[in-house]
Each structure stands twice: as structure tokens, then as C-alpha cells.
Amino acid sequence: MPSQVNFRAALITGATSGLGRAIAMELGRRGTFIHALGRRAELLDELVAELPSGGAPYAVDVTDSAALRGAIHRADQGHGDATGPLDLVIANAGIAENGIESADDADAASQVLAVNAIAASATIEYAKDLMLPRGQGHLCAISSLAGTRGLPGAPAYCASKAALSTYVEALRFRLHGSGVTITDVQPGFIKTAMTDKNDFPMPFLMELDVAARRTVNALCKAKPPATLRYPRRLAWPLRLAAKTAPGWAWQRALGSKR
Ligand SMILES: NC(=O)c1ccc[n+]([C@@H]2O[C@H](COP(=O)([O-])OP(=O)(O)OC[C@H]3O[C@@H](n4cnc5c(N)ncnc54)[C@H](OP(=O)(O)O)[C@@H]3O)[C@@H](O)[C@H]2O)c1
């Protein structure tokens, strides 16, 4: 079996900017046809024009579950003769409290949870239902190291990513032996529009192309990892501290009123 596989057709949510766009380009360079989904139609058209192995745009809000399901089903039917059904689906679309207009904190929390947890799990489920009868396909959720434990500044974001990671871990039991596999990608800080707005220190901030390559390299392995955390020099100390620090010590170490 080759050590690297090339996907024929992938669907990526949140492909208009940041990590989703960079992953789309990296997969495209490796021969994958990209079904690109996001709300900003003009950015989707620009991306599709640039994709090295072709692509199709889907101007869809992931919180519209009927539109999301419809787009995934249309993408799975292929695009002309060039592509087959989806063999990779990446639930990447995400927002954080700092990037949205909201009436109050409760409204912000519900918007963040709706996109990052509810719509992301729906993306995975709709794709899973198409892949299971075929007995093959790979699913991927972009969660975050921010889901490791509660951090200051973005409670809904942390909760949404923890929910998504737990969802993926639990779903993996159901997929066991089916031929369909799933990877939870937990990045640290990456330079994107999302982090441009942050006004606090971001240790080991990564370049976008490095993060995209790291993600695609892992997904293209003949046996993709169940969980991918990067950068390691942030992931391991954070996970060790999160697992061992009692609540009071965690609060005191990160203490902030943000
Ligand atoms: N940047 C980081 O440091 C970092 C770290 C860990 C994890 N992540 C995760 O990586 C993913 C990508 O984030 P990013 O940093 O690349 O941010 P970004 O540049 O702001 O990209 C977010 C993407 O999500 C899409 N999106 C947001 N709401 C949507 C909706 N309702 N329907 C459809 N698409 C929607 C946006 O497209 P439209 O606006 O066109 O809809 C955009 O393409 C997110 O899940 C994020 O949580 C990022």
C-alpha cells in the first residue's frame, strides 16, 4: 500500500479564507477536485478559478441544515465525469466570539456553538451517511487546542471545540470496522483573519501554509491519525497542564477577567 494517498474529490466547509482555503489549495496541488463551501460567493469563485485540479463553488451558510445537506449530496454526485463521489469531507467552517456581530454574550455564544459544534457535526453526519454504504471515505473535523480546557476570553469557542472533539471521538466507535475513518485536527494558533483580531499573546503562532501542509500530509497518509495536534511544543505542555492542574491552579495560572 502506498504511504500517501491522493483523494479524488473533497468537500471543505469554510473554504473562502484562512485554513480552509489553504487546505483546498494544498489538496488541489495533489490532484484533488475541491467542492468548496462558504457564504461569500465571490471568494468561492476566485478560489475555484485558482484551484490546480478544478473545483465547484457552493455558496451556503452551514447553519442552514437543508442547504448544507443539499450541497453535500450534490457534491457527492460528482462534477461531470471528472470526479467520483466524495472521498474526503472536512468540517472546517468556524467562528469565534471576536469575529461576529452579536446583541449580547448569550447571542454570541449561540452563534459560535451553532457554527462550530452543531453545523460541524451535521457536516460530518451528512457525509458519513453517504460514505457508509460505500464502505469507504475519510471525514475530518477542524477543532482546536482551545477545546482542551476552558481558556480565558472565548468561553463559547472553547466549549464548541471541546464538543466537536468529543463528538468525533464518540462517533469513531460507530464507524469502527465500516471502512469510513475520521480525524480530529486540533491546531494551535495560525495566522488567519480569526487570529488577526486577537489582542493577547499567541505562543508558537503558525504560518498558514505550514498548518495547511501539516494537515494535508496527515490526511493523505495511508492510515490517517485519529487525532492530529500541532504545533507539538504547544500541544503537549498544554495537555499535560490541562490534565494535571486542579481547577484553582488552572484559574490562578491563567487568571484574567477577559
Ligand atoms: N486560526 C487559528 O488560530 C485556528 C486555530 C485552531 C482552529 N482553528 C479553526 O480553523 C477553522 C478555520 O478558521 P480560520 O482561522 O481559517 O478562520 P477564517 O479565516 O475566519 O475562516 C473561517 C471560515 O469559515 C467560514 N464560515 C464561517 N461561518 C460560516 C457559516 N455560517 N457558513 C459557512 N461558512 C462559514 C468562513 O467563510 P464565509 O465567511 O465565506 O462563510 C471562512 O471561510 C475554524 O474552525 C477555526 O476554529 C483556527
Side-chain angles (χ1 to χ4, degrees), residues 14 16-17 19 39-40 61-62 92 143 157 161 188 190 192 195:
T16 53
S17 65
L19 187 60
R39 288 167 302 179
R40 287 169 290 174
D61 185 327
V62 291
N92 163 80
S143 65
Y157 186 76
K161 295 301 185 177
I190 308 165
T192 67
T195 49

Side-chain angles (χ1 to χ4, degrees), residues 21 65 69 94 98 116 128 130 135 139 161 177 179-180 185 199:
R21 191 184 202 285
S65 54
R69 185 175 181 280
N98 66 1
N116 297 6
K128 177 211 81 182
L130 293 167
L139 301 163
K161 295 301 185 177
V180 179
V185 177
D199 59 357

Side-chain angles (χ1 to χ4, degrees), residues 37-62:
L37 196 146
R39 288 167 302 179
R40 287 169 290 174
E42 67 291 355
L43 294 185
L44 288 174
D45 290 341
E46 278 174 36
L47 168 67
V48 165
E50 273 182 52
L51 281 165
S53 304
Y58 300 80
V60 165
D61 185 327
V62 291

Side-chain angles (χ1 to χ4, degrees), residues 56-77:
Y58 300 80
V60 165
D61 185 327
V62 291
T63 62
D64 178 344
S65 54
L68 175 64
R69 185 175 181 280
I72 293 174
H73 277 248
R74 264 183 290 132
D76 196 60
Q77 281 157 17

Side-chain angles (χ1 to χ4, degrees), residues 168-220:
V168 169
E169 185 169 37
L171 183 65
R172 196 172 290 114
F173 290 106
R174 202 176 279 174
L175 297 177
H176 182 74
S178 70
V180 179
T181 46
I182 187 161
T183 296
D184 177 20
V185 177
Q186 301 182 7
F189 296 108
I190 308 165
K191 278 188 199 167
T192 67
M194 186 179 276
T195 49
D196 278 351
K197 301 182 188 90
N198 290 347
D199 59 357
F200 51 85
M202 292 182 277
F204 311 115
L205 181 65
M206 292 178 80
E207 294 297 333
L208 188 50
D209 57 331
V210 174
R213 239 185 348 264
R214 191 87 189 263
T215 305
V216 172
N217 282 345
L219 295 179
C220 289

